Amino acid sequence: MSSLPSKDPAVLTADLRTQFDAFLDEHRADLHACLDGLTEEEARASLVPSRTTLLGLVKHAAFVEKVWFDEAITCRSRAEIGIPATPDESFILAEEDTIAGLQADYLQACEDSRRRAASLDLDDLVRGNRRGPLPLRWVYLHMLRELAQHCGHADILREQILAARTGRHRPPGPGIYTRRAAMHNGCG
């Protein structure tokens, strides 16, 4: 089996739902791993004018999971779920936020997402989003876009952090995430 579930021969020919789940889980794992080996200070490093930090990206990703797989599916409000009202607020780090704590929160949010979506088909409508009823297929596509974008942000921020450690402008080795670098070698 390939180290990338999406490249597993069984997934290559599987049904669309299996493929969506494999790609989502790869992106989830990559975003979770962006904090591995970093200090708390490095994870909180503000390298761009926005609130985007590596720790903030993982916190935001947990928020996104809850928006699309709790709010949208269960129709509970963000207040009931205990998440911020806006995406911008989801990047704000509290003093007590830590790598271990936010990674655990993110893993739990992902597991809850899988559980909530398990009984639904891709054409089933979720009714709890402000846009109105949406097919689960749209939610999956949106999540793939969102997670891919944030994995790209994380790659760049992590590269900057690791380069600052060594004082080099270019990171050592073939890439930040060995798994992600392998995925992109040879055009994917």
Side-chain angles (χ1 to χ4, degrees):
M1 182 169 128
S2 167
S3 63
L4 290 170
S6 67
K7 291 194 175 190
D8 181 318
V11 173
L12 291 173
T13 58
D15 62 279
L16 188 58
R17 177 64 177 268
T18 300
Q19 292 174 338
F20 275 159
D21 286 333
F23 276 83
L24 270 177
D25 283 343
E26 278 179 23
H27 284 77
R28 287 167 170 156
D30 286 341
L31 200 52
H32 179 273
C34 78
L35 298 172
D36 291 349
L38 299 181
T39 67
E40 295 292 336
E41 183 180 331
E42 289 170 330
R44 288 175 171 273
S46 180
L47 304 173
V48 294
S50 70
R51 291 182 173 146
T52 306
T53 64
L54 285 173
L55 197 60
L57 279 169
V58 173
K59 187 172 187 175
H60 171 72
F63 164 84
V64 169
E65 292 284 341
K66 292 172 185 179
V67 165
W68 289 108
F69 293 102
D70 191 340
E71 180 183 35
I73 291 174
T74 69
C75 299
R76 295 190 314 152
S77 71
R78 291 180 186 191
E80 289 175 284
I81 297 167
I83 59 175
T86 68
D88 278 352
E89 293 172 285
S90 72
F91 282 92
I92 298 172
L93 297 173
E95 190 173 313
E96 64 272 9
D97 287 335
T98 64
I99 292 170
L102 289 183
Q103 280 183 317
D105 289 348
Y106 183 50
L107 287 178
Q108 185 62 57
C110 294
E111 183 55 38
D112 291 345
S113 294
R114 287 184 204 94
R115 184 178 42 77
R116 284 191 184 97
S119 64
L120 300 175
D121 291 325
L122 290 175
D123 292 327
D124 287 345
L125 296 180
V126 298
R127 301 181 184 281
N129 187 265
R130 61 185 165 83
R131 292 171 180 86
L134 296 165
L136 185 64
R137 174 186 324 275
W138 188 95
V139 171
Y140 267 65
L141 288 169
H142 178 75
M143 283 296 297
L144 283 169
R145 175 179 57 196
E146 177 109 6
L147 291 176
Q149 179 181 19
H150 293 320
C151 282
H153 294 146
D155 282 345
I156 293 166
L157 292 174
R158 187 173 168 91
E159 182 176 335
Q160 290 175 320
I161 289 165
L162 295 179
R165 273 186 187 175
T166 62
R168 294 175 63 175
H169 293 294
R170 300 178 81 204
I176 301 306
Y177 303 118
T178 304
R179 197 173 89 155
R180 285 180 59 86
M183 181 172 67
H184 297 292
N185 288 341
C187 299

